[in-house]
Amino acid sequence: FCVAGDARARVQKYSMRKSIFWAAIILTSAWSDTILVEGSSVTRTVTIKGKDVVKIEAVDNTLTILGQGDILTLDGSDNRVTVKAALNGIVITGSSNTLQVVGPLHQLDVRGCDNKITLDGPCDLIQYGGSNNHTRWLKRPGLSQPKVERTGWDNEFQVSNP
């Protein structure tokens, strides 16, 4: 009967898809790094590539992020961070940080408090879950204003000309 043959073909097709999926995961992880920045009172420049992830768990640092990467997580406090890179997302859970982003950013998720953020480039979505954060988006010709979702308290989004 053809039924048994069809079932075997489906199992082989599923196994092949599963193998391709895992190969893609392994290759992607081989091409990306997680860069952890720790410490205090440090000045550092970090160059990222591909799907790199940067985690900042530091206090009172001056950091510059260059290149192209996936996610930046800012968990520390009192940091001055300049991002001159294309990123898929930035998550801020820390407090009292100053962040300047020059370049495209898909999503900004602000969960911390008392952060000051300047965005100079396209951004699709800004989500606030924290409190007392101030974000300034520089309006450039041809760019659409980011969608802003607020669930936190006293968060401010401002559009200004460069």
Side-chain angles (χ1 to χ4, degrees):
F1 288 99
C2 292
V3 175
D6 290 344
R8 262 183 271 156
R10 279 186 293 219
V11 168
Q12 287 175 342
K13 195 180 224 183
Y14 173 76
S15 294
M16 178 72 131
R17 284 185 189 150
K18 190 174 172 185
S19 297
I20 292 170
F21 171 77
W22 285 111
I25 293 294
I26 291 167
L27 288 173
T28 300
S29 64
W31 289 329
S32 66
D33 289 319
T34 297
I35 301 162
L36 179 61
V37 179
E38 296 178 300
S40 63
S41 303
V42 174
T43 298
R44 182 173 174 192
T45 298
V46 176
T47 302
I48 57 176
K49 62 190 176 333
K51 294 288 184 181
D52 285 355
V53 173
V54 178
K55 292 183 176 187
I56 300 173
E57 298 175 355
V59 177
D60 191 31
N61 293 290
T62 302
L63 305 166
T64 302
I65 312 294
L66 304 172
Q68 178 179 350
D70 194 19
I71 303 289
L72 167 65
T73 304
L74 181 52
D75 290 330
S77 64
D78 300 306
N79 293 293
R80 293 152 307 285
V81 180
T82 301
V83 176
K84 295 180 179 180
L87 292 172
N88 287 324
I90 295 176
V91 179
I92 302 173
T93 58
S95 63
S96 301
N97 295 292
T98 301
L99 174 67
Q100 179 184 11
V101 181
V102 180
L105 175 63
H106 177 67
Q107 181 175 342
L108 174 64
D109 185 356
V110 186
R111 302 175 193 171
C113 63
D114 300 316
N115 295 290
K116 292 176 180 42
I117 304 151
T118 302
L119 301 175
D120 188 356
C123 181
D124 298 325
L125 175 63
I126 300 172
Q127 294 176 307
Y128 291 107
S131 63
N132 201 35
N133 295 290
H134 303 279
T135 304
R136 186 172 70 121
W137 179 69
L138 301 177
K139 184 178 181 178
R140 300 275 183 190
L143 294 183
S144 299
Q145 183 172 318
K147 178 181 177 185
V148 177
E149 296 176 354
R150 291 183 177 95
T151 58
W153 301 271
D154 297 323
N155 293 300
E156 178 183 302
F157 175 75
Q158 173 188 9
V159 177
S160 62
N161 293 317

